Short mmCIF file of all heavy atoms in Angstrom, two decimals:
data_model
loop_
_atom_site.label_atom_id
_atom_site.label_comp_id
_atom_site.label_asym_id
_atom_site.label_seq_id
_atom_site.Cartn_x
_atom_site.Cartn_y
_atom_site.Cartn_z
N ALA A 1 -82.03 13.25 -55.86
CA ALA A 1 -82.21 12.54 -54.60
C ALA A 1 -83.24 13.27 -53.71
O ALA A 1 -84.09 12.63 -53.08
CB ALA A 1 -80.89 12.41 -53.85
N ALA A 2 -83.19 14.60 -53.64
CA ALA A 2 -84.14 15.36 -52.84
C ALA A 2 -85.55 15.24 -53.45
O ALA A 2 -86.54 15.16 -52.72
CB ALA A 2 -83.72 16.82 -52.74
N ILE A 3 -85.64 15.25 -54.75
CA ILE A 3 -86.92 15.09 -55.42
C ILE A 3 -87.55 13.75 -55.09
O ILE A 3 -88.71 13.64 -54.75
CB ILE A 3 -86.78 15.31 -56.95
CG1 ILE A 3 -86.41 16.79 -57.23
CG2 ILE A 3 -88.03 14.88 -57.69
CD1 ILE A 3 -85.97 17.07 -58.66
N GLU A 4 -86.71 12.68 -55.16
CA GLU A 4 -87.18 11.36 -54.82
C GLU A 4 -87.64 11.28 -53.37
O GLU A 4 -88.73 10.74 -53.06
CB GLU A 4 -86.06 10.34 -55.08
CG GLU A 4 -86.42 8.94 -54.69
CD GLU A 4 -85.24 7.98 -54.88
OE1 GLU A 4 -84.23 8.15 -54.19
OE2 GLU A 4 -85.40 7.08 -55.71
N TYR A 5 -86.82 11.80 -52.45
CA TYR A 5 -87.16 11.75 -51.04
C TYR A 5 -88.47 12.50 -50.76
O TYR A 5 -89.32 12.01 -50.01
CB TYR A 5 -86.01 12.32 -50.18
CG TYR A 5 -86.25 12.18 -48.71
CD1 TYR A 5 -85.78 11.07 -48.03
CD2 TYR A 5 -86.96 13.13 -47.97
CE1 TYR A 5 -86.01 10.90 -46.67
CE2 TYR A 5 -87.20 12.98 -46.63
CZ TYR A 5 -86.69 11.86 -45.95
OH TYR A 5 -86.95 11.72 -44.63
N ALA A 6 -88.60 13.67 -51.32
CA ALA A 6 -89.80 14.51 -51.07
C ALA A 6 -91.06 13.73 -51.48
O ALA A 6 -92.04 13.72 -50.75
CB ALA A 6 -89.69 15.83 -51.81
N GLY A 7 -91.03 13.11 -52.64
CA GLY A 7 -92.18 12.34 -53.08
C GLY A 7 -92.47 11.16 -52.17
O GLY A 7 -93.62 10.86 -51.84
N ARG A 8 -91.41 10.48 -51.79
CA ARG A 8 -91.58 9.31 -50.88
C ARG A 8 -92.13 9.79 -49.54
O ARG A 8 -93.00 9.12 -48.95
CB ARG A 8 -90.24 8.59 -50.69
CG ARG A 8 -89.79 7.84 -51.88
CD ARG A 8 -88.38 7.20 -51.66
NE ARG A 8 -88.11 6.25 -52.71
CZ ARG A 8 -86.99 5.54 -52.79
NH1 ARG A 8 -86.05 5.73 -51.87
NH2 ARG A 8 -86.82 4.66 -53.74
N TRP A 9 -91.63 10.87 -49.04
CA TRP A 9 -92.09 11.40 -47.73
C TRP A 9 -93.56 11.78 -47.79
O TRP A 9 -94.35 11.44 -46.90
CB TRP A 9 -91.24 12.60 -47.28
CG TRP A 9 -91.58 13.04 -45.90
CD1 TRP A 9 -91.09 12.53 -44.73
CD2 TRP A 9 -92.53 14.05 -45.56
NE1 TRP A 9 -91.68 13.19 -43.67
CE2 TRP A 9 -92.56 14.13 -44.14
CE3 TRP A 9 -93.36 14.90 -46.28
CZ2 TRP A 9 -93.36 14.99 -43.45
CZ3 TRP A 9 -94.17 15.81 -45.62
CH2 TRP A 9 -94.17 15.83 -44.21
N ARG A 10 -93.97 12.49 -48.84
CA ARG A 10 -95.37 12.89 -48.97
C ARG A 10 -96.29 11.67 -49.03
O ARG A 10 -97.37 11.65 -48.45
CB ARG A 10 -95.58 13.77 -50.20
CG ARG A 10 -95.20 15.22 -50.02
CD ARG A 10 -95.69 16.05 -51.18
NE ARG A 10 -95.31 15.54 -52.49
CZ ARG A 10 -94.21 15.88 -53.14
NH1 ARG A 10 -93.37 16.77 -52.64
NH2 ARG A 10 -93.96 15.36 -54.33
N ASP A 11 -95.87 10.66 -49.78
CA ASP A 11 -96.70 9.46 -50.00
C ASP A 11 -96.76 8.55 -48.76
O ASP A 11 -97.71 7.80 -48.61
CB ASP A 11 -96.15 8.63 -51.16
CG ASP A 11 -96.33 9.35 -52.49
OD1 ASP A 11 -97.09 10.32 -52.58
OD2 ASP A 11 -95.66 8.92 -53.48
N MET A 12 -95.74 8.57 -47.89
CA MET A 12 -95.69 7.70 -46.75
C MET A 12 -96.82 8.02 -45.76
O MET A 12 -96.96 9.18 -45.38
CB MET A 12 -94.33 7.85 -46.08
CG MET A 12 -94.15 7.04 -44.78
SD MET A 12 -92.53 7.31 -44.05
CE MET A 12 -92.53 9.11 -43.76
N PRO A 13 -97.59 7.03 -45.34
CA PRO A 13 -98.59 7.33 -44.31
C PRO A 13 -97.92 7.75 -42.99
O PRO A 13 -96.89 7.16 -42.60
CB PRO A 13 -99.33 5.97 -44.13
CG PRO A 13 -98.99 5.22 -45.36
CD PRO A 13 -97.64 5.68 -45.81
N LYS A 14 -98.49 8.76 -42.35
CA LYS A 14 -97.90 9.34 -41.15
C LYS A 14 -98.97 9.58 -40.09
O LYS A 14 -100.11 9.88 -40.43
CB LYS A 14 -97.20 10.67 -41.48
CG LYS A 14 -96.05 10.52 -42.47
CD LYS A 14 -95.50 11.82 -42.94
CE LYS A 14 -96.30 12.48 -44.05
NZ LYS A 14 -96.41 11.75 -45.32
N VAL A 15 -98.55 9.50 -38.82
CA VAL A 15 -99.40 9.86 -37.72
C VAL A 15 -98.59 10.88 -36.90
O VAL A 15 -97.43 10.60 -36.57
CB VAL A 15 -99.81 8.63 -36.85
CG1 VAL A 15 -100.57 9.10 -35.62
CG2 VAL A 15 -100.57 7.64 -37.64
N VAL A 16 -99.19 11.96 -36.55
CA VAL A 16 -98.57 12.96 -35.73
C VAL A 16 -99.26 12.96 -34.37
O VAL A 16 -100.49 13.04 -34.30
CB VAL A 16 -98.64 14.38 -36.35
CG1 VAL A 16 -98.11 15.44 -35.40
CG2 VAL A 16 -97.84 14.42 -37.67
N PHE A 17 -98.46 12.89 -33.31
CA PHE A 17 -99.00 12.89 -31.94
C PHE A 17 -98.72 14.28 -31.34
O PHE A 17 -97.58 14.66 -31.17
CB PHE A 17 -98.31 11.83 -31.09
CG PHE A 17 -98.62 10.43 -31.54
CD1 PHE A 17 -97.94 9.84 -32.59
CD2 PHE A 17 -99.64 9.71 -30.90
CE1 PHE A 17 -98.26 8.56 -33.01
CE2 PHE A 17 -99.96 8.43 -31.32
CZ PHE A 17 -99.24 7.85 -32.34
N SER A 18 -99.77 15.02 -31.11
CA SER A 18 -99.61 16.40 -30.59
C SER A 18 -100.94 16.91 -30.05
O SER A 18 -101.97 16.69 -30.63
CB SER A 18 -99.12 17.31 -31.70
OG SER A 18 -99.09 18.63 -31.23
N SER A 19 -100.84 17.63 -28.95
CA SER A 19 -102.03 18.34 -28.40
C SER A 19 -101.96 19.78 -28.80
O SER A 19 -102.92 20.52 -28.58
CB SER A 19 -102.09 18.19 -26.90
OG SER A 19 -100.90 18.66 -26.31
N ARG A 20 -100.88 20.23 -29.41
CA ARG A 20 -100.73 21.62 -29.84
C ARG A 20 -101.03 21.85 -31.35
O ARG A 20 -101.41 22.93 -31.76
CB ARG A 20 -99.31 22.11 -29.58
CG ARG A 20 -98.96 22.29 -28.15
CD ARG A 20 -97.59 22.86 -28.04
NE ARG A 20 -97.12 23.07 -26.71
CZ ARG A 20 -95.87 23.40 -26.42
NH1 ARG A 20 -95.01 23.56 -27.37
NH2 ARG A 20 -95.54 23.54 -25.17
N THR A 21 -100.73 20.83 -32.14
CA THR A 21 -100.95 20.96 -33.58
C THR A 21 -102.43 20.78 -33.90
O THR A 21 -103.08 19.93 -33.29
CB THR A 21 -100.14 19.85 -34.32
OG1 THR A 21 -98.76 19.99 -33.98
CG2 THR A 21 -100.27 19.96 -35.81
N SER A 22 -102.95 21.60 -34.81
CA SER A 22 -104.39 21.50 -35.07
C SER A 22 -104.69 20.90 -36.44
O SER A 22 -105.76 20.33 -36.64
CB SER A 22 -105.06 22.88 -34.93
OG SER A 22 -104.44 23.80 -35.83
N THR A 23 -103.77 21.03 -37.38
CA THR A 23 -104.02 20.46 -38.73
C THR A 23 -102.73 19.80 -39.23
O THR A 23 -101.63 20.24 -38.91
CB THR A 23 -104.39 21.53 -39.74
OG1 THR A 23 -103.38 22.52 -39.83
CG2 THR A 23 -105.72 22.21 -39.34
N VAL A 24 -102.95 18.75 -40.00
CA VAL A 24 -101.83 18.06 -40.66
C VAL A 24 -102.25 17.78 -42.09
O VAL A 24 -103.44 17.83 -42.43
CB VAL A 24 -101.47 16.75 -39.95
CG1 VAL A 24 -100.87 17.02 -38.55
CG2 VAL A 24 -102.65 15.83 -39.83
N ASP A 25 -101.28 17.50 -42.94
CA ASP A 25 -101.57 17.26 -44.36
C ASP A 25 -100.56 16.21 -44.85
O ASP A 25 -99.78 15.68 -44.07
CB ASP A 25 -101.44 18.56 -45.13
CG ASP A 25 -102.25 18.56 -46.44
OD1 ASP A 25 -102.66 17.46 -46.86
OD2 ASP A 25 -102.40 19.65 -46.99
N TRP A 26 -100.57 15.94 -46.15
CA TRP A 26 -99.61 15.04 -46.77
C TRP A 26 -99.69 13.63 -46.25
O TRP A 26 -98.77 13.07 -45.75
CB TRP A 26 -98.17 15.59 -46.67
CG TRP A 26 -98.09 17.02 -47.09
CD1 TRP A 26 -98.20 17.49 -48.40
CD2 TRP A 26 -97.94 18.15 -46.24
NE1 TRP A 26 -98.12 18.85 -48.37
CE2 TRP A 26 -97.95 19.29 -47.08
CE3 TRP A 26 -97.75 18.34 -44.90
CZ2 TRP A 26 -97.80 20.58 -46.58
CZ3 TRP A 26 -97.62 19.58 -44.39
CH2 TRP A 26 -97.67 20.69 -45.26
N ASN A 27 -100.90 13.03 -46.38
CA ASN A 27 -101.11 11.64 -46.00
C ASN A 27 -100.85 11.40 -44.50
O ASN A 27 -100.20 10.43 -44.12
CB ASN A 27 -100.21 10.75 -46.87
CG ASN A 27 -100.74 9.33 -46.97
OD1 ASN A 27 -101.89 9.06 -46.69
ND2 ASN A 27 -99.87 8.44 -47.36
N THR A 28 -101.36 12.34 -43.72
CA THR A 28 -101.08 12.34 -42.24
C THR A 28 -102.34 12.40 -41.45
O THR A 28 -103.33 13.08 -41.84
CB THR A 28 -100.17 13.54 -41.92
OG1 THR A 28 -99.03 13.50 -42.73
CG2 THR A 28 -99.76 13.50 -40.46
N ARG A 29 -102.36 11.72 -40.31
CA ARG A 29 -103.48 11.74 -39.36
C ARG A 29 -102.97 12.30 -38.04
O ARG A 29 -101.83 12.01 -37.64
CB ARG A 29 -103.99 10.33 -39.22
CG ARG A 29 -105.14 10.17 -38.25
CD ARG A 29 -105.69 8.77 -38.28
NE ARG A 29 -104.76 7.71 -37.83
CZ ARG A 29 -104.66 7.30 -36.56
NH1 ARG A 29 -105.36 7.86 -35.60
NH2 ARG A 29 -103.82 6.33 -36.29
N LEU A 30 -103.78 13.08 -37.37
CA LEU A 30 -103.41 13.69 -36.10
C LEU A 30 -104.06 12.90 -34.97
O LEU A 30 -105.21 12.58 -34.99
CB LEU A 30 -103.87 15.15 -36.04
CG LEU A 30 -103.63 15.93 -34.76
CD1 LEU A 30 -102.15 16.12 -34.51
CD2 LEU A 30 -104.32 17.29 -34.85
N VAL A 31 -103.23 12.62 -33.90
CA VAL A 31 -103.69 11.98 -32.68
C VAL A 31 -103.41 12.93 -31.53
O VAL A 31 -102.26 13.34 -31.32
CB VAL A 31 -103.00 10.60 -32.47
CG1 VAL A 31 -103.40 10.05 -31.08
CG2 VAL A 31 -103.38 9.63 -33.55
N THR A 32 -104.47 13.28 -30.78
CA THR A 32 -104.28 14.20 -29.65
C THR A 32 -104.41 13.46 -28.31
O THR A 32 -104.12 14.02 -27.26
CB THR A 32 -105.34 15.31 -29.66
OG1 THR A 32 -106.63 14.74 -29.67
CG2 THR A 32 -105.17 16.19 -30.91
N GLY A 33 -104.78 12.18 -28.32
CA GLY A 33 -104.94 11.41 -27.10
C GLY A 33 -103.65 10.75 -26.65
O GLY A 33 -102.56 11.13 -27.06
N ASP A 34 -103.81 9.77 -25.79
CA ASP A 34 -102.64 9.09 -25.21
C ASP A 34 -101.83 8.35 -26.29
O ASP A 34 -102.34 7.44 -26.98
CB ASP A 34 -103.13 8.08 -24.17
CG ASP A 34 -102.00 7.35 -23.50
OD1 ASP A 34 -101.18 7.99 -22.81
OD2 ASP A 34 -101.88 6.13 -23.72
N ALA A 35 -100.58 8.71 -26.42
CA ALA A 35 -99.72 8.17 -27.46
C ALA A 35 -99.43 6.68 -27.25
O ALA A 35 -99.48 5.92 -28.21
CB ALA A 35 -98.38 8.95 -27.54
N VAL A 36 -99.14 6.27 -26.04
CA VAL A 36 -98.83 4.88 -25.76
C VAL A 36 -99.99 3.95 -26.13
O VAL A 36 -99.82 2.90 -26.75
CB VAL A 36 -98.32 4.66 -24.32
CG1 VAL A 36 -98.26 3.20 -23.96
CG2 VAL A 36 -96.98 5.35 -24.11
N THR A 37 -101.19 4.37 -25.79
CA THR A 37 -102.37 3.59 -26.10
C THR A 37 -102.55 3.43 -27.61
O THR A 37 -102.79 2.33 -28.16
CB THR A 37 -103.64 4.22 -25.49
OG1 THR A 37 -103.48 4.26 -24.09
CG2 THR A 37 -104.88 3.47 -25.84
N GLU A 38 -102.38 4.55 -28.36
CA GLU A 38 -102.53 4.50 -29.83
C GLU A 38 -101.40 3.72 -30.47
O GLU A 38 -101.64 2.94 -31.41
CB GLU A 38 -102.60 5.92 -30.39
CG GLU A 38 -102.75 6.00 -31.87
CD GLU A 38 -104.07 5.37 -32.43
OE1 GLU A 38 -104.97 5.03 -31.62
OE2 GLU A 38 -104.18 5.28 -33.65
N ILE A 39 -100.16 3.86 -30.03
CA ILE A 39 -99.06 3.14 -30.60
C ILE A 39 -99.26 1.62 -30.37
O ILE A 39 -99.02 0.80 -31.24
CB ILE A 39 -97.72 3.59 -30.04
CG1 ILE A 39 -97.43 5.04 -30.50
CG2 ILE A 39 -96.59 2.69 -30.49
CD1 ILE A 39 -96.29 5.72 -29.76
N THR A 40 -99.72 1.27 -29.17
CA THR A 40 -100.00 -0.14 -28.87
C THR A 40 -101.04 -0.70 -29.83
O THR A 40 -100.94 -1.80 -30.34
CB THR A 40 -100.44 -0.28 -27.38
OG1 THR A 40 -99.42 0.22 -26.55
CG2 THR A 40 -100.76 -1.74 -27.06
N ARG A 41 -102.10 0.10 -30.08
CA ARG A 41 -103.17 -0.31 -30.97
C ARG A 41 -102.63 -0.47 -32.40
O ARG A 41 -102.91 -1.46 -33.09
CB ARG A 41 -104.30 0.70 -30.96
CG ARG A 41 -105.54 0.29 -31.77
CD ARG A 41 -106.56 1.44 -31.92
NE ARG A 41 -106.10 2.47 -32.82
CZ ARG A 41 -106.08 2.36 -34.16
NH1 ARG A 41 -106.42 1.23 -34.76
NH2 ARG A 41 -105.68 3.38 -34.92
N LEU A 42 -101.81 0.47 -32.85
CA LEU A 42 -101.24 0.43 -34.19
C LEU A 42 -100.32 -0.79 -34.36
O LEU A 42 -100.32 -1.45 -35.41
CB LEU A 42 -100.50 1.72 -34.52
CG LEU A 42 -101.35 2.96 -34.69
CD1 LEU A 42 -100.48 4.21 -34.70
CD2 LEU A 42 -102.18 2.85 -35.95
#
């Protein structure tokens, strides 16, 4: 079950909202701007 979840989690597209984080990985994009504006757009 953990093996299945780990693979699913890595494969799932992700967006991280942070002004402190500088890098992300594992099918992830970083957003440092206004979260509400970006969520509305998405």
Side-chain angles (χ1 to χ4, degrees):
I3 292 168
E4 177 183 64
Y5 185 92
R8 288 175 167 181
W9 186 86
R10 280 191 309 267
D11 292 346
M12 176 181 59
K14 298 171 278 299
V15 176
V16 174
F17 293 83
S18 175
S19 57
R20 290 185 181 171
T21 303
S22 58
T23 59
V24 293
D25 204 345
W26 310 289
N27 204 17
T28 306
R29 179 172 65 88
L30 179 64
V31 173
T32 58
D34 181 65
V36 169
T37 300
E38 180 64 8
I39 294 167
T40 301
R41 187 189 72 74
L42 290 168

